[in-house]
Amino acid sequence: MTATPVVPVVGAGTAFAAGVVAGPPVASLPIDERQAAGTVTAFALSCPGLMRRTDASGLTRGADWQGACAAAAAVQPGGARAFLAQWFETVQVGDGRAFATGYYEPEIAASRDRRQGYDVPIYGRPDDLVDVDLGQFAADLKGRKIRGRVDRTNFVPYYDRSQIERGALDGRAPVIAWGADPAAVFFLQIQGSGRLRLPDGAILRVGYATQNGRDYTGIGSLMKARGLLGPGQSSMQGIVAWLHAHPTEGAALMDENRSFVFFRQIDGAPRGALGYAVTGGVSAAADPKFVPLGAPVYLSLDRADATGLWVAQDTGGAIKGANRFDTFWGAGAQAEAIAGGMAGRGTAFLLLPIGTLARASGGYPGGSAGAPAPR
């Protein structure tokens, strides 16, 4: 499905600023009842967050979702597609050009105690990491948050990956477990949650707790720019193989991603940024400045496996900007294979409560969000 040609708004920081135009009718989307049912289930789960949170995209208000959320709880088997068509309209944000990657719940070898072959720490939240809401200090900084630490009388950036790898956290953060493979622990941080296979065969599940506040840098793009990856090696599996083959250079390369993720022990399925369980093949990460968290999204991509309905239930350090998504595939070898090689391009349409476009457009038929209302 193709996007409506529009002139992109350079530097737009939200979906409202980027502009939205009408997409195809929901009833015309090529989705089956099974996929629609999974979407409705995930949407209903996300409804409390949708109605409670301030929508950073600027497109909706909590009250906009009340009707659809109430109806979602009463959808009968076989009625999911009809529900979506009744309560939602599709909108295209900006030029609508989508790019989707994939993530999954990895399983890596680890031990609760440090022992031979297990010496890569998997840290919990440090006790000196401080979150600051800048909106409490200045109105024009509302919605902006930073993380750092107190150094005497100064607030400074938190330790970056290189400093942490060299012992900056000693005595400052609990060690949940010790990993066997530095590359595996590195990608555990990128995925944000995972299963730790202990030496006795038991499984310890960990989920995202927080991050050090440093910007994320994708090492795959660095490796491609430096000619380190040959044809067909740019998948996660290809990157890991290179890191294993070049441990010294690989350690230095991983340090260039200054972002560092801290974990917490969890029970049950991994949870997304909304605090609800994410579902393989249904949940996706998005930038909340461009997608209301909890909203359904239809992706029409050059990857058939990722084309269809998703629900934006998570965020990610590398998932920034309009029409950027990270699809979640669950756990296991198949999930790893799909997520590791996912790079789909195409078009994205948000499913929003009927009436959203008219209000965002200032009541001007065919207008886009941000366009002045007629006087």
Side-chain angles (χ1 to χ4, degrees), residues 66-115:
Q66 290 179 355
C69 284
V75 173
Q76 297 298 310
R81 289 186 76 252
F83 161 79
L84 294 171
Q86 177 181 354
W87 287 96
F88 293 94
E89 61 188 8
T90 71
V91 303
Q92 171 187 313
V93 177
D95 63 13
R97 295 179 183 176
F99 176 56
T101 48
Y103 70 113
Y104 73 109
E105 186 185 13
E107 181 176 304
I108 71 170
S111 170
R112 286 185 179 274
D113 57 297
R114 189 171 191 175
R115 61 173 73 181

Coordinates of all heavy atoms in Angstrom, one line a residue, residues 66-115:
Q66 N -12.0 6.5 25.2 CA -12.9 5.9 26.1 C -13.9 5.0 25.4 O -14.2 3.8 25.8 CB -13.6 6.9 26.9 CG -12.7 7.6 27.9 CD -13.4 8.7 28.7 OE1 -14.5 9.0 28.5 NE2 -12.7 9.2 29.7
G67 N -14.5 5.5 24.3 CA -15.5 4.7 23.6 C -15.0 3.4 23.0 O -15.5 2.3 23.2
A68 N -13.8 3.5 22.3 CA -13.2 2.3 21.8 C -12.8 1.3 22.8 O -12.9 0.1 22.7 CB -12.1 2.7 20.9
C69 N -12.3 1.8 23.9 CA -11.8 1.0 25.0 C -12.9 0.2 25.7 O -12.8 -1.0 26.0 CB -11.0 1.8 26.0 SG -9.3 2.2 25.5
A70 N -14.0 0.9 25.9 CA -15.2 0.3 26.5 C -15.7 -0.8 25.6 O -16.1 -1.9 26.0 CB -16.3 1.3 26.8
A71 N -15.8 -0.5 24.2 CA -16.3 -1.5 23.3 C -15.4 -2.7 23.1 O -15.8 -3.8 22.9 CB -16.5 -0.8 21.9
A72 N -14.0 -2.4 23.3 CA -13.1 -3.5 23.1 C -13.3 -4.6 24.1 O -13.0 -5.8 23.8 CB -11.6 -3.0 23.2
A73 N -13.7 -4.3 25.3 CA -13.9 -5.2 26.3 C -15.1 -6.2 26.1 O -15.2 -7.2 26.7 CB -14.1 -4.5 27.7
A74 N -15.9 -5.8 25.1 CA -17.1 -6.6 24.8 C -17.1 -7.2 23.5 O -18.1 -7.8 23.0 CB -18.4 -5.7 25.0
V75 N -16.0 -7.2 22.8 CA -15.9 -7.8 21.4 C -16.1 -9.3 21.5 O -15.4 -10.0 22.3 CB -14.6 -7.4 20.7 CG1 -14.4 -8.2 19.4 CG2 -14.5 -5.9 20.5
Q76 N -17.0 -9.8 20.7 CA -17.2 -11.3 20.7 C -16.3 -12.0 19.7 O -15.9 -11.3 18.7 CB -18.7 -11.5 20.4 CG -19.7 -11.0 21.4 CD -19.5 -11.6 22.8 OE1 -19.4 -12.8 23.0 NE2 -19.3 -10.7 23.8
P77 N -16.1 -13.3 19.9 CA -15.3 -14.0 18.8 C -15.9 -13.8 17.4 O -17.1 -13.9 17.3 CB -15.5 -15.5 19.3 CG -15.7 -15.4 20.8 CD -16.5 -14.1 21.0
G78 N -15.0 -13.5 16.5 CA -15.5 -13.2 15.1 C -15.8 -11.8 14.9 O -16.2 -11.4 13.7
G79 N -15.8 -10.9 15.9 CA -16.2 -9.6 15.7 C -15.1 -8.5 15.7 O -15.3 -7.3 15.8
A80 N -13.8 -9.0 15.7 CA -12.7 -8.1 15.8 C -12.5 -7.1 14.7 O -12.3 -5.9 14.8 CB -11.4 -8.9 16.1
R81 N -12.6 -7.6 13.4 CA -12.5 -6.8 12.3 C -13.6 -5.7 12.2 O -13.3 -4.6 11.9 CB -12.5 -7.6 11.0 CG -11.3 -8.4 10.8 CD -11.2 -9.1 9.4 NE -10.9 -8.2 8.3 CZ -11.7 -7.7 7.4 NH1 -13.0 -8.1 7.4 NH2 -11.3 -6.9 6.5
A82 N -14.8 -6.1 12.5 CA -15.9 -5.2 12.6 C -15.7 -4.1 13.6 O -16.0 -2.9 13.4 CB -17.2 -5.9 12.8
F83 N -15.2 -4.5 14.8 CA -14.9 -3.6 15.8 C -13.9 -2.5 15.4 O -14.1 -1.3 15.6 CB -14.4 -4.3 17.1 CG -13.6 -3.4 18.0 CD1 -14.3 -2.6 18.9 CD2 -12.2 -3.3 18.0 CE1 -13.6 -1.7 19.8 CE2 -11.5 -2.5 18.9 CZ -12.3 -1.7 19.8
L84 N -12.8 -2.9 14.7 CA -11.8 -2.0 14.3 C -12.4 -1.0 13.2 O -12.1 0.2 13.3 CB -10.6 -2.7 13.7 CG -9.8 -3.6 14.7 CD1 -8.8 -4.4 14.0 CD2 -9.1 -2.7 15.8
A85 N -13.2 -1.5 12.3 CA -13.8 -0.7 11.3 C -14.8 0.3 11.9 O -14.9 1.4 11.4 CB -14.5 -1.6 10.3
Q86 N -15.4 -0.1 13.0 CA -16.5 0.8 13.6 C -15.9 1.9 14.4 O -16.4 3.1 14.4 CB -17.4 0.0 14.5 CG -18.4 0.8 15.2 CD -19.3 0.0 16.1 OE1 -19.2 -1.2 16.1 NE2 -20.2 0.6 16.9
W87 N -14.7 1.7 15.0 CA -14.2 2.6 16.0 C -13.0 3.4 15.5 O -12.6 4.4 16.2 CB -13.9 1.9 17.3 CG -15.1 1.5 18.0 CD1 -15.8 0.3 18.0 CD2 -15.9 2.4 18.9 NE1 -16.9 0.4 18.8 CE2 -17.0 1.6 19.4 CE3 -15.8 3.7 19.3 CZ2 -18.0 2.1 20.2 CZ3 -16.8 4.2 20.2 CH2 -17.8 3.4 20.6
F88 N -12.3 3.0 14.5 CA -11.1 3.6 14.1 C -11.1 4.2 12.7 O -11.8 3.7 11.8 CB -9.9 2.6 14.2 CG -9.7 2.2 15.6 CD1 -10.2 1.0 16.1 CD2 -8.8 2.9 16.4 CE1 -10.0 0.6 17.5 CE2 -8.6 2.5 17.7 CZ -9.2 1.4 18.3
E89 N -10.2 5.2 12.5 CA -9.9 5.7 11.1 C -8.3 5.6 11.0 O -7.7 5.5 12.0 CB -10.3 7.1 11.0 CG -9.7 8.1 11.9 CD -10.3 9.5 11.9 OE1 -11.3 9.7 11.2 OE2 -9.8 10.4 12.5
T90 N -7.8 5.5 9.8 CA -6.4 5.5 9.7 C -5.9 6.8 9.3 O -6.5 7.6 8.5 CB -6.0 4.4 8.6 OG1 -6.3 4.9 7.3 CG2 -6.6 3.1 8.9
V91 N -4.7 7.2 9.8 CA -4.0 8.4 9.4 C -2.5 8.1 9.0 O -1.9 7.1 9.6 CB -4.0 9.5 10.5 CG1 -5.5 9.8 10.9 CG2 -3.2 9.0 11.7
Q92 N -2.0 8.9 8.1 CA -0.6 8.8 7.7 C 0.1 9.9 8.4 O -0.3 11.1 8.2 CB -0.5 8.8 6.2 CG 0.9 9.0 5.7 CD 0.9 9.2 4.2 OE1 0.2 8.5 3.4 NE2 1.6 10.2 3.7
V93 N 1.2 9.6 9.1 CA 2.0 10.7 9.7 C 3.1 11.1 8.7 O 3.9 10.3 8.3 CB 2.6 10.2 11.0 CG1 3.5 11.3 11.6 CG2 1.5 9.8 12.0
G94 N 3.2 12.4 8.4 CA 4.2 12.9 7.5 C 4.1 12.2 6.2 O 3.1 12.0 5.6
D95 N 5.3 11.7 5.7 CA 5.3 11.1 4.4 C 4.9 9.6 4.4 O 4.8 8.9 3.4 CB 6.6 11.3 3.7 CG 7.8 10.6 4.5 OD1 7.5 9.8 5.4 OD2 9.0 10.9 4.1
G96 N 4.7 9.1 5.7 CA 4.2 7.7 5.8 C 5.2 6.7 5.5 O 4.9 5.5 5.7
R97 N 6.5 7.0 5.2 CA 7.5 6.0 4.8 C 8.0 5.3 6.0 O 8.7 5.9 6.8 CB 8.6 6.7 4.0 CG 8.1 7.3 2.7 CD 9.3 7.9 2.0 NE 8.9 8.5 0.7 CZ 9.7 9.2 -0.1 NH1 10.9 9.4 0.2 NH2 9.2 9.8 -1.2
A98 N 7.7 4.0 6.1 CA 8.0 3.3 7.4 C 9.3 2.5 7.2 O 9.6 2.0 6.1 CB 6.8 2.3 7.7
F99 N 10.0 2.3 8.4 CA 11.1 1.4 8.4 C 10.9 0.6 9.7 O 10.7 1.2 10.8 CB 12.4 2.2 8.5 CG 13.6 1.3 8.7 CD1 13.9 0.3 7.8 CD2 14.5 1.5 9.7 CE1 15.0 -0.6 7.9 CE2 15.6 0.7 9.9 CZ 15.8 -0.4 9.0
A100 N 11.0 -0.7 9.6 CA 10.7 -1.6 10.7 C 11.9 -2.6 10.9 O 12.3 -3.2 10.0 CB 9.4 -2.3 10.6
T101 N 12.4 -2.6 12.1 CA 13.3 -3.7 12.5 C 12.6 -4.7 13.4 O 11.4 -4.6 13.5 CB 14.5 -3.0 13.2 OG1 14.1 -2.1 14.2 CG2 15.4 -2.2 12.2
G102 N 13.4 -5.5 14.0 CA 12.8 -6.5 14.9 C 13.5 -6.8 16.2 O 14.8 -6.6 16.2
Y103 N 12.8 -7.2 17.2 CA 13.5 -7.6 18.4 C 12.8 -8.8 19.0 O 11.7 -9.1 18.6 CB 13.6 -6.4 19.5 CG 12.4 -6.0 20.1 CD1 12.2 -6.1 21.5 CD2 11.4 -5.3 19.5 CE1 11.0 -5.7 22.2 CE2 10.2 -4.8 20.1 CZ 10.1 -5.0 21.4 OH 8.9 -4.6 22.1
Y104 N 13.5 -9.4 20.0 CA 12.9 -10.7 20.5 C 13.4 -10.9 21.9 O 14.2 -10.0 22.4 CB 13.4 -11.9 19.6 CG 14.8 -12.2 19.7 CD1 15.2 -13.4 20.4 CD2 15.8 -11.4 19.3 CE1 16.6 -13.8 20.5 CE2 17.2 -11.7 19.4 CZ 17.5 -12.9 20.0 OH 18.9 -13.2 20.2
E105 N 13.0 -11.9 22.5 CA 13.4 -12.2 23.9 C 14.5 -13.3 23.8 O 14.2 -14.5 23.6 CB 12.3 -12.7 24.8 CG 12.6 -12.9 26.2 CD 11.5 -13.5 27.0 OE1 10.5 -14.0 26.4 OE2 11.6 -13.5 28.3
P106 N 15.8 -12.9 23.9 CA 16.9 -13.9 23.8 C 17.0 -14.8 25.0 O 16.5 -14.5 26.1 CB 18.1 -13.0 23.6 CG 17.8 -11.7 24.4 CD 16.3 -11.5 24.2
E107 N 17.7 -15.9 24.8 CA 18.1 -16.7 25.9 C 19.6 -16.9 25.9 O 20.2 -17.2 24.9 CB 17.5 -18.1 25.8 CG 17.8 -19.1 26.9 CD 17.1 -20.4 26.8 OE1 15.9 -20.4 26.8 OE2 17.8 -21.4 26.8
I108 N 20.3 -16.5 27.0 CA 21.7 -16.6 27.0 C 22.2 -17.3 28.3 O 21.4 -17.5 29.3 CB 22.3 -15.1 27.1 CG1 22.1 -14.4 28.4 CG2 21.8 -14.3 25.9 CD1 22.9 -13.1 28.6
A109 N 23.4 -17.8 28.2 CA 24.0 -18.6 29.3 C 24.4 -17.6 30.4 O 25.1 -16.6 30.1 CB 25.2 -19.4 28.9
A110 N 24.1 -17.9 31.7 CA 24.4 -17.0 32.8 C 24.4 -17.8 34.1 O 24.0 -19.0 34.2 CB 23.5 -15.8 32.9
S111 N 25.0 -17.2 35.1 CA 25.1 -17.8 36.4 C 24.8 -16.8 37.5 O 25.1 -15.6 37.3 CB 26.5 -18.4 36.7 OG 26.7 -18.8 38.0
R112 N 24.1 -17.2 38.6 CA 23.8 -16.3 39.6 C 25.0 -15.8 40.3 O 25.1 -14.7 40.9 CB 22.8 -16.9 40.6 CG 21.4 -17.0 40.1 CD 20.5 -17.6 41.3 NE 19.1 -17.7 40.9 CZ 18.2 -16.7 40.9 NH1 18.6 -15.5 41.3 NH2 17.0 -16.9 40.6
D113 N 26.1 -16.7 40.4 CA 27.3 -16.3 41.1 C 28.4 -16.3 40.0 O 28.4 -17.0 39.0 CB 27.6 -17.3 42.2 CG 27.7 -18.7 41.7 OD1 26.7 -19.3 41.2 OD2 28.8 -19.3 41.7
R114 N 29.4 -15.5 40.3 CA 30.6 -15.4 39.4 C 31.4 -16.7 39.5 O 31.8 -17.1 40.6 CB 31.4 -14.2 39.7 CG 32.5 -13.9 38.7 CD 33.2 -12.6 39.0 NE 34.0 -12.2 37.9 CZ 34.6 -11.0 37.8 NH1 34.5 -10.1 38.8 NH2 35.4 -10.7 36.7
R115 N 31.7 -17.3 38.4 CA 32.5 -18.5 38.4 C 33.2 -18.6 37.1 O 33.0 -17.8 36.2 CB 31.6 -19.8 38.6 CG 30.5 -19.9 37.5 CD 29.7 -21.2 37.6 NE 28.8 -21.2 38.7 CZ 28.0 -22.3 39.0 NH1 28.2 -23.4 38.2 NH2 27.2 -22.2 39.9

